[in-house]
Amino acid sequence: MNTEIDWNVLRHKANEMVLRAYAPYSRYPVGAAGITSEGEILGGCNVENVSYGLGICAEVSLIAHLVSQGQRSVRAVSVADANGKVLMPCGRCRQVLLEHGGRELLVDHPAGPRRLADLLPDAFGPDDIAEVVP
Ligand code: THU
C-alpha cells in the first residue's frame, strides 16, 4: 500500500500507548505506534521488570504485537514520552525495527521523518546471514 503516512494519527496513538506503559522503576513511560504494511495502526509500550535488565522497550512491544497479530512489517513508526515529545528509538530498538521494517522504514523525528537506514547505517541485517546460511 503506497499511501501517505498520517503522522498525526501515529503520534496520537503513541501518546495513548504511553498511558499503558508499565514503568515503575525508571518512571519513564514510553509509547510506540506503527502503521503496518496492511495499513493497520498498532501500538506498544515499555514493560519493565523488577529484574531490571528484563524490561522491554515500547518499540519491542510494538513489534511483538505486530507479529502476534499475524503481520510482519511496519512502514512507519512514532515513539513518544509522557510529555508528548517524539523520541528516537534506542540502538537495540533500531535493530529490532530493521528486521520488521527494513531500511526504508520511516521513523518519526522532531525535524521530520527519517529513514531507518540513516539512523542505523551499515546495519547487520537478514541479508547478511542469507549469504551464508542456506
Ligand atoms: N525506552 C523505550 O521504551 N524505548 C526507547 O527507545 C528508549 C527507552 C524505555 C526503556 C525503559 O523502560 C525506559 O524507557 C527508560 O530507559
Side-chain angles (χ1 to χ4, degrees):
M1 223 167 45
N2 197 21
T3 48
E4 280 290 301
I5 306 297
D6 189 336
W7 291 100
N8 286 333
V9 167
L10 275 185
R11 287 180 182 183
H12 182 78
K13 178 74 173 181
N15 283 296
E16 276 182 359
M17 296 310 297
V18 173
L19 304 174
R20 300 209 184 147
Y22 178 71
Y25 305 107
S26 71
R27 298 189 193 154
Y28 188 70
V30 179
I35 181 157
T36 73
S37 46
E38 295 177 19
E40 194 177 347
I41 306 287
L42 296 179
C45 58
N46 55 339
V47 182
E48 297 184 348
N49 190 274
V50 64
S51 178
Y52 292 176
L54 300 183
I56 64 167
C57 286
E59 298 89 326
V60 175
S61 157
L62 167 69
I63 297 303
H65 187 191
L66 171 84
V67 175
S68 64
Q69 291 255 103
Q71 297 185 61
R72 286 287 182 263
S73 62
V74 278
R75 296 174 53 218
V77 299
S78 183
V79 186
D81 73 9
N83 290 335
K85 191 179 85 176
V86 173
L87 280 188
M88 297 312 292
C90 75
R92 180 176 186 267
C93 288
R94 293 177 195 201
Q95 183 74 35
V96 170
L97 290 170
L98 178 69
E99 186 86 16
H100 293 280
R103 295 166 51 81
E104 298 307 315
L105 172 70
L106 293 173
V107 179
D108 202 2
H109 182 285
R114 302 284 193 257
R115 291 164 66 237
L116 184 57
D118 296 325
L119 301 175
L120 192 68
D122 301 324
F124 171 68
D127 292 347
D128 292 305
I129 75 163
E131 284 173 17
V132 177
V133 182

